[in-house]
Amino acid sequence: MEQSRIAHSIGIALDRFIKNNQGQFQYASGELSQLLRDIALASKVVNREVNKAGLIDIMGALGSQNSAGDDQQKLDVLANIRFTRALTKGGEVCALISEETESYVDLNNKGKYVIAIDPLDGSSNIDVNVSIGTIFSIYRRKSPEGTPIRDEDILQKGSEQVAAGYILYGSSTMLVYTTGHGVNGFTYEPTLGEYFLSHPDQKMPEDGKIFSVNEGPAASFPASVEKYLQYCKKDGSYTARYIGSLVADFHRNMLKGGIYIYPGTAKNPQGKLRLMYECNALSFIAEQAGGLASDGKNRILDIQPKALHQRTPFYVGSKKMVEKAKSFD
Ligand code: AHG
Ligand code: MN
Ligand code: MN
C-alpha cells in the first residue's frame, strides 16, 4: 500500500516555509523572518485567549477609549499587549504603530523595521462568538539605524511595505501573509501548536458575485456607491455577505471572489477604516493575489499618509468588481 494512503502529509510548517523562502527578501538578514515568527507566536497566544473568551473574564468593554474614540474591549487591549511584547523584545523593530495607542512607540533601538498593527479587528464581534482578526504591515525604516525616529519612517506609503498579513480567528485560525512574492495562507493545527501551509500562492478570482457593504448608513453614501449597489441588485445574480469584521469579509471575498466597500458616510466622511493598519496591509495582499484596492479614485498603496490614524474610503476585492464599482463615479 502506498505510504501516503496510510499517513497523509501534514505539509510545510510556517517556520520551515519562512526559512525556505528567506532568500526572496531583498534584505535576507533573517530579521524579517524573525518578525514573522514573532507575529505567529503572539497570534497563537491571542488565539488561545480568543478561544476561551466566553469562559474567563475577558469579554466586554474595558471602560476606556482608543485613539479614534472607540470603546476599547478587553480583548483589544489584551491583543495589543501580546503583539507589542512579541514585537518589541527582539530588537528588530524600532517603532510600533497600533490602533490602540494614540502615538507610535519609539523603541529607541537599532531596529530596522517599523510595524503598524490592528491587534484585534472586528471588536463588535468578540462577545457574540463571530470571527475576528489581526492585521499587520511591516516597513523598513528610512532614517539611519540608531538615530531618532522621524516622520518619514512612520508615515510611509503602503507601496513601501516589505511584508503584510492578517490572522483570522474563525472556524479555523489562519495566518495569511505576503512579502511581495505572492500570498500564502497557513492554517493553525491546535493540537500541534503549528501553522501549516494550506493555501499556497493564493489568487483572488478576477470577478465575483459577493458584495460586502454595511448598508445601514446608505442614505449618506456617495451617489456612485448607491448606483453600484443598485447595479448589484438589478437581477438577483449577486449576493450580499457582511460579517462586520474586515479580515473575515476580506478573506471570504479573496477565496470566493467579491468586493468589500466602506465608503464615506455622514458620520465618517472618509469612511471608517484606517489606512495605516487596516487598508494598506489588505491592499498589498489583494494586489499580490491579483485583486485591486482603491479609495474610489486612487490606488490605496499610493496614498501618502499624513496622520497615524488617518481614515480612507476603501474598495477592495476582485479586480473586475473594483473596476466596475469605480466606473460609476
Ligand atoms: P476594529 O474592531 O479594529 O475597530 O475594526 C472594526 C472595523 C472592521 O473590522 C469592520 O469591517 C468595520 O469596522 C465594521 O464597521 P460597521 O460596524 O460600521 O459596519
Ligand atoms: Mn479593525
Ligand atoms: Mn482593532
Side-chain angles (χ1 to χ4, degrees), residues 76 99-100 118 120-121 123:
D76 284 327
E99 180 192 356
E100 303 305 332
D118 178 353
L120 217 290
D121 172 67
S123 306

Side-chain angles (χ1 to χ4, degrees), residues 25-328:
F25 306 152
Q26 195 185 342
Y27 316 94
S29 63
E31 286 160 299
L32 183 57
S33 298
Q34 186 55 43
L35 278 182
L36 292 168
R37 283 194 287 265
D38 289 342
I39 289 170
L41 177 60
S43 78
K44 293 178 193 176
V45 180
V46 171
N47 182 60
R48 192 183 63 183
E49 280 157 356
V50 165
N51 275 279
K52 288 194 298 196
L55 298 172
I56 52 176
D57 183 28
I58 52 170
M59 294 218 296
L62 191 67
S64 52
Q65 294 182 328
N66 69 11
S67 50
D70 300 330
D71 288 333
Q72 284 181 309
Q73 304 298 304
K74 288 178 193 163
L75 260 179
D76 284 327
V77 175
L78 194 56
N80 192 42
I81 293 170
R82 295 296 182 207
F83 282 103
T84 303
R85 276 192 195 147
L87 288 165
T88 53
K89 269 194 187 143
E92 296 91 359
V93 176
C94 59
L96 187 78
I97 301 153
S98 165
E99 180 192 356
E100 303 305 332
T101 45
E102 182 81 42
S103 43
Y104 63 84
V105 180
D106 181 347
L107 293 158
N108 273 315
N109 64 11
K110 294 193 170 166
K112 296 190 183 87
Y113 292 94
V114 173
I115 300 219
I117 189 160
D118 178 353
L120 217 290
D121 172 67
S123 306
S124 69
N125 281 324
I126 297 170
D127 288 0
V128 290
N129 207 355
V130 174
S131 299
I132 49 184
T134 296
I135 309 172
F136 62 90
S137 291
I138 306 180
Y139 297 86
R140 297 272 296 184
R141 71 179 295 167
K142 298 209 156 170
S143 59
E145 292 155 33
T147 61
I149 296 294
R150 299 184 196 153
D151 275 1
E152 66 186 30
D153 300 319
I154 300 296
L155 299 175
Q156 299 197 44
K157 289 182 191 173
S159 56
E160 294 175 291
Q161 290 169 100
V162 292
Y166 61 82
I167 295 116
L168 172 61
Y169 312 97
S171 47
S172 58
T173 297
M174 285 193 69
L175 188 154
V176 177
Y177 79 96
T178 183
T179 57
H181 301 273
V183 178
N184 290 284
F186 298 78
T187 300
Y188 186 57
E189 214 296 11
T191 59
L192 296 173
E194 289 279 6
Y195 285 102
F196 289 94
L197 182 63
S198 53
H199 297 65
D201 196 18
Q202 259 182 281
K203 293 288 173 221
M204 190 178 263
E206 206 185 358
D207 206 352
K209 291 290 180 193
I210 297 172
F211 62 100
S212 312
V213 185
N214 176 0
E215 292 191 71
S220 64
F221 281 179
S224 56
V225 176
E226 261 309 295
K227 281 185 208 150
Y228 178 64
L229 292 173
Q230 278 163 20
Y231 164 83
C232 289
K233 295 174 192 173
K234 70 182 187 317
D235 64 5
S237 65
Y238 286 76
T239 191
R241 289 285 183 276
Y242 191 77
I243 295 166
S245 292
L246 175 61
V247 170
D249 281 308
F250 176 85
H251 184 75
R252 181 205 51 246
N253 290 352
M254 183 151 87
L255 294 181
K256 295 196 163 183
I259 187 170
Y260 177 99
I261 304 178
Y262 208 117
T265 63
K267 188 177 164 202
N268 292 306
Q270 290 304 307
K272 184 180 176 195
L273 300 172
R274 277 65 51 99
L275 176 64
M276 293 206 63
Y277 43 82
E278 289 179 319
C279 304
N280 274 340
L282 300 186
S283 301
F284 188 18
I285 292 170
E287 287 195 5
Q288 284 290 316
L292 283 183
S294 167
D295 68 357
K297 292 186 173 61
N298 311 302
R299 181 182 178 227
I300 291 286
L301 297 180
D302 287 337
I303 300 174
Q304 174 61 54
K306 296 193 173 66
L308 287 188
H309 301 285
Q310 180 171 332
R311 298 175 193 269
T312 178
F314 195 36
Y315 300 54
V316 66
S318 293
K319 185 167 178 283
K320 287 193 170 160
M321 295 185 85
V322 175
E323 280 168 352
K324 186 76 191 174
K326 283 175 68 180
S327 75
F328 288 90

